[in-house]
């Protein structure tokens, strides 16, 4: 038997990011109370653990590289377009006409799958995708950057063949508000939208409060601590003081003008008739002569972070920084454990290996593309290539029992050859179960009694071994 030789991890040639922290929890003593009490949120949708909030996605992947983007290779960085244009103070994505038509076809297929009539779907999409104009008029005494109502779209100029009921439904779909047609009751045209707040005709307090009230993000109130009761505001009912409200309003305005909330509208690049360029080519580096037309995006593709069961339970059980919801209700640790065991066979075995390697500083990721259970990275995939391909086995103390993956000599040699060709080492990870353990496996506390042993398998090459023997 030969002694295992541990090879140094192979560093990537180009690294485009810096290493933050190994885990998404505060590791310093000077961390704030908000950072110490931060709980990320995930949901179980169709047997998948999904994180939707953008800040939670960036924190979980950037600090420990948990999960992967559903539309990206690893980091959740998918955007609808790489080119953005400012319309007023709102930044809208620019896409080519062929890509927009593809979104329309996707929306058409989804509506047909819901049982709607094809003629109704065609009329709906025809009206929904009609060009619209953004209202960029500035009113006296208003700051154009203090409210997003300056960018409310005007009513689309639909053909005269559409009925009045269709015009009303189209305007509601365009603006996304139920009260968008209230100005028609006072004889005002749809293109000249008026604001009731501050208007003497509708607001009796316009002399005292001529401006629109600043919007406050409800999520921002949950992170402000009450100075009177030393508790969260949502629990004690106290309202923040002026200094706290100023910070909340600044954060809300900074978050309100980001790129994430502007994907309901897109700028479609339509080429002029005299342009001989290829309309299907979405080249953002060349200056094109096409005009930009604002339209509603009928099929909005959102980027989410998907966690594996092992990653999700490690965040819930080992770190205590993740709360998993199912049908709007948060799940306890035992319910999450039972649900994952029923959804994935041998989950307790693979999680024991994942928990072990995470505790030793490795970043385990799925190894299905190399025929293994786990891939071990140092620091994370952006910095180093995977060092080991891990196959997890569950045995007793005498190393007996039915193997989870029964190998024969041919399949084992093939796996070893594949691992060697991708410059990695094959590792067999044995989860040793005590003989008297029976019902404890149904609880996560069984991790305290199991043992883990690694075995590195090296491929024997006759010519290389013969040359080394001759040199000796």
């Amino acid at each position: 038997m030969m002694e295992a030789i541990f090879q140094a991890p192979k560093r990537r040639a180009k690294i485009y990011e810096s290493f933050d922290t190994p885990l998404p929890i505060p590791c310093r003593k000077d961390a704030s109370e908000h950072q110490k009490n931060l709980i990320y949120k995930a949901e179980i949708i169709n047997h998948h653990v999904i994180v939707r909030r953008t800040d939670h996605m960036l924190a979980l992947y950037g600090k420990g590289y948990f999960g992967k983007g559903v539309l990206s290779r690893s980091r959740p960085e998918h955007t609808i377009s790489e080119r953005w244009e400012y319309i007023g103070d709102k930044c809208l994505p620019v896409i080519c006409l062929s890509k927009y038509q593809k979104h329309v076809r996707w929306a058409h297929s989804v509506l047909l799958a819901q049982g709607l009539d094809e003629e109704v779907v065609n009329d709906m999409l025809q009206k929904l995708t009609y060009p619209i104009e953004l209202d960029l008029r500035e009113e006296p005494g208003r700051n154009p950057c203090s409210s997003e109502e300056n960018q409310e779209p005007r009513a689309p100029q639909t053909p005269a063949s559409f009925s009045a009921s269709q015009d009303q439904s189209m305007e509601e779909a365009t603006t996304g508000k139920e009260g968008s047609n209230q100005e028609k009751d006072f004889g005002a045209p749809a293109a000249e939208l008026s604001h009731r707040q501050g208007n003497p005709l509708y607001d009796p307090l316009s002399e005292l409060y001529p401006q629109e009230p600043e919007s406050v993000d409800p999520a921002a109130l949950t992170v402000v601590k009450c100075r009177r009761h030393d508790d969260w505001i949502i629990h004690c009912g106290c309202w923040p003081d002026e200094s706290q409200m100023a910070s909340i309003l600044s954060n809300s305005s900074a978050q309100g003008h980001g790129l994430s909330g502007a994907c309901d509208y897109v700028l479609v690049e339509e080429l002029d008739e005299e342009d001989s360029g290829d309309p299907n080519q979405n080249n953002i580096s060349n200056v094109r002569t096409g005009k930009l037309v604002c339209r509603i995006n009928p099929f909005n593709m959102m980027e989410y972070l998907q966690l594996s069961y092992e990653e999700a339970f490690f965040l819930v059980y080992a770190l205590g920084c993740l709360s998993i919801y199912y049908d709007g209700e948060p799940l306890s640790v035992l319910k999450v454990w039972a649900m994952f065991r029923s959804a994935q066979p041998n989950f307790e075995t693979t999680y024991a290996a994942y928990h072990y390697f995470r505790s030793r500083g490795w970043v385990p990721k799925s190894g299905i593309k190399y025929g293994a259970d786990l891939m071990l990275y140092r620091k994370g995939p952006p910095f180093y290539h995977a060092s080991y391909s891990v196959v997890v086995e569950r045995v007793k103390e005498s190393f007996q029992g039915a193997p989870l993956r029964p190998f024969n000599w041919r399949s084992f040699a093939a796996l070893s050859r594949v691992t060697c060709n991708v410059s990695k080492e094959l590792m067999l990870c044995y989860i040793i179960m005590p003989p008297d353990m029976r019902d404890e496996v149904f609880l996560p506390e069984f991790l305290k009694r199991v043992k883990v042993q690694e075995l590195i398998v090296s491929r024997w090459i006759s010519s290389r071994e013969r040359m080394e023997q001759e040199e000796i």
Side-chain angles (χ1 to χ4, degrees):
M1 181 177 296
M2 300 177 56
E3 183 179 359
I5 301 177
F6 293 91
Q7 304 292 337
K10 185 179 180 182
R11 192 177 182 88
R12 293 190 179 273
K14 296 181 180 180
I15 300 176
Y16 301 97
E17 57 185 273
S18 59
F19 182 75
D20 191 0
T21 56
L23 296 173
I25 54 176
C27 301
R28 298 180 301 179
K29 296 182 179 180
D30 57 347
S32 61
E33 292 293 331
H34 169 60
Q35 294 177 347
K36 294 180 180 179
N37 299 326
L38 180 61
I39 301 296
Y40 305 102
K41 180 181 177 180
E43 302 176 56
I44 296 181
I45 303 176
N46 295 333
H47 301 284
H48 299 289
V49 183
I50 301 297
V51 180
R52 293 189 178 187
R53 289 189 53 174
T54 305
D55 52 345
H56 292 184
M57 291 164 49
L58 298 179
L60 291 177
Y61 188 86
K63 302 177 181 180
Y65 300 96
F66 290 88
K68 69 173 296 294
V70 295
L71 301 178
S72 306
R73 293 186 58 185
S74 53
R75 176 181 293 275
E77 56 186 4
H78 173 79
T79 57
I80 187 174
S81 176
E82 296 182 1
R83 178 183 171 188
W84 298 73
E85 295 287 345
Y86 275 96
I87 303 296
D89 62 346
K90 179 174 291 187
C91 198
L92 300 180
V94 180
I95 62 176
C96 61
L97 181 59
S98 61
K99 186 174 182 179
Y100 183 77
Q101 293 174 349
K102 185 184 297 183
H103 286 203
V104 174
R105 290 194 297 268
W106 289 344
H108 183 271
S109 302
V110 171
L111 293 176
L112 289 180
Q114 296 178 359
L116 298 179
D117 186 59
E118 185 173 2
E119 184 177 357
V120 176
V121 172
N122 292 335
D123 293 342
M124 185 185 305
L125 291 179
Q126 181 182 5
K127 186 171 292 188
L128 186 66
T129 59
Y130 204 80
I132 62 176
E133 297 181 3
L134 294 178
D135 189 7
L136 302 179
R137 295 179 295 107
E138 296 184 8
E139 296 186 359
R142 292 192 59 191
N143 185 4
C145 297
S146 63
S147 176
E148 294 184 359
E149 295 188 2
N150 294 329
Q151 283 74 36
E152 290 297 328
R154 298 181 181 179
Q157 302 174 358
T158 56
S161 59
F162 293 129
S163 61
S165 61
Q166 291 175 332
D167 291 339
Q168 182 177 0
S169 62
M170 177 55 195
E171 187 174 357
E172 293 178 358
T174 304
T175 58
K177 297 181 179 180
E178 297 178 358
S180 59
N181 294 329
Q182 295 179 356
E183 286 75 14
K184 293 184 179 181
D185 299 337
F186 300 93
E192 299 178 359
L193 299 179
S194 60
H195 302 282
R196 297 190 176 187
Q197 180 74 24
N199 193 331
L201 296 177
Y202 314 122
D203 187 8
L205 301 178
S206 59
E207 297 181 359
L208 299 178
Y209 305 100
Q211 297 182 357
E212 289 271 351
E214 296 182 282
S215 60
V216 179
D217 186 9
L221 294 175
T222 61
V223 300
V224 180
K225 203 169 185 180
C226 179
R227 298 178 179 178
R228 179 181 301 177
H229 301 98
D230 194 22
D231 198 357
W232 299 108
I233 290 179
I234 57 175
H235 293 164
C236 64
C238 296
W239 192 253
D241 53 16
E242 295 182 358
S243 61
Q244 291 175 327
M245 283 298 299
S247 62
I248 294 174
L249 292 175
S250 62
N251 294 334
S252 300
S253 60
Q255 295 176 0
H257 301 291
L259 303 180
S260 60
C263 296
D264 293 336
Y265 304 97
V266 294
L267 297 177
V268 183
E269 188 174 27
E270 300 181 357
L271 300 182
D272 296 335
E273 296 180 357
E274 60 272 10
D275 190 4
S276 60
D278 184 8
N280 296 326
Q281 182 181 3
N282 190 14
N283 189 1
I284 64 174
S285 60
N286 299 331
V287 178
R288 308 175 69 178
T289 60
K291 61 179 181 179
L292 300 180
V293 181
C294 182
R295 299 177 186 270
I296 297 178
N297 186 13
F299 193 90
N300 197 359
M301 300 178 62
M302 302 297 295
E303 174 78 299
Y304 299 136
L305 183 72
Q306 181 177 350
L307 301 173
S308 66
Y309 287 165
E310 291 80 9
E311 293 173 331
F313 194 77
F314 183 83
L315 294 171
V316 172
Y317 175 72
L319 301 183
C321 63
L322 181 68
S323 180
I324 299 180
Y325 287 73
Y326 182 70
D327 288 340
E329 297 293 335
L331 301 178
S332 63
V333 177
L334 296 181
K335 288 184 178 180
V336 173
W337 176 263
M339 184 174 294
F340 287 174
R341 288 190 70 249
S342 62
Q344 178 175 318
N346 304 311
F347 167 75
E348 62 276 359
T349 304
T350 55
Y351 176 75
Y354 182 92
H355 190 108
Y356 172 77
F357 289 116
R358 266 287 183 181
S359 303
R360 295 180 66 89
W362 293 98
V363 178
K365 305 296 289 186
S366 175
I368 188 173
K369 60 181 178 181
Y370 296 116
D373 295 321
L374 298 173
M375 307 295 295
L376 300 185
Y377 293 86
R378 182 180 184 267
K379 295 177 66 174
F383 307 100
Y384 292 90
H385 293 277
S387 301
Y388 300 99
S389 299
V390 182
V391 176
V392 182
E393 286 289 348
R394 175 177 174 176
V395 296
K396 299 179 181 179
E397 288 186 347
S398 59
F399 281 83
Q400 295 179 355
L404 301 180
R405 301 180 62 180
F407 286 106
N408 53 28
W409 284 109
R410 178 174 296 181
S411 61
F412 191 78
L415 178 60
S416 178
R417 182 87 178 242
V418 170
T419 305
C420 182
N421 289 342
V422 294
S423 301
K424 297 169 178 50
E425 292 186 88
L426 180 61
M427 177 186 296
L428 300 180
C429 178
Y430 292 99
I431 307 299
I432 305 175
M433 310 292 290
D436 57 343
M437 181 177 295
R438 300 187 182 276
D439 296 336
E440 296 180 10
V441 74
F442 296 102
L443 299 175
E445 299 298 329
F446 90 104
L447 296 171
K448 300 179 180 179
R449 300 190 58 191
V450 300
K451 299 179 181 179
V452 181
Q453 181 172 347
E454 311 104 312
L455 177 64
I456 298 179
V457 180
S458 60
R459 180 165 166 259
W460 185 78
I461 303 176
S462 59
S463 59
R464 183 184 304 175
E465 298 293 335
R466 188 180 302 110
M467 292 177 59
E468 293 179 356
Q469 291 294 335
E470 291 177 355
E471 292 177 359
I472 294 178

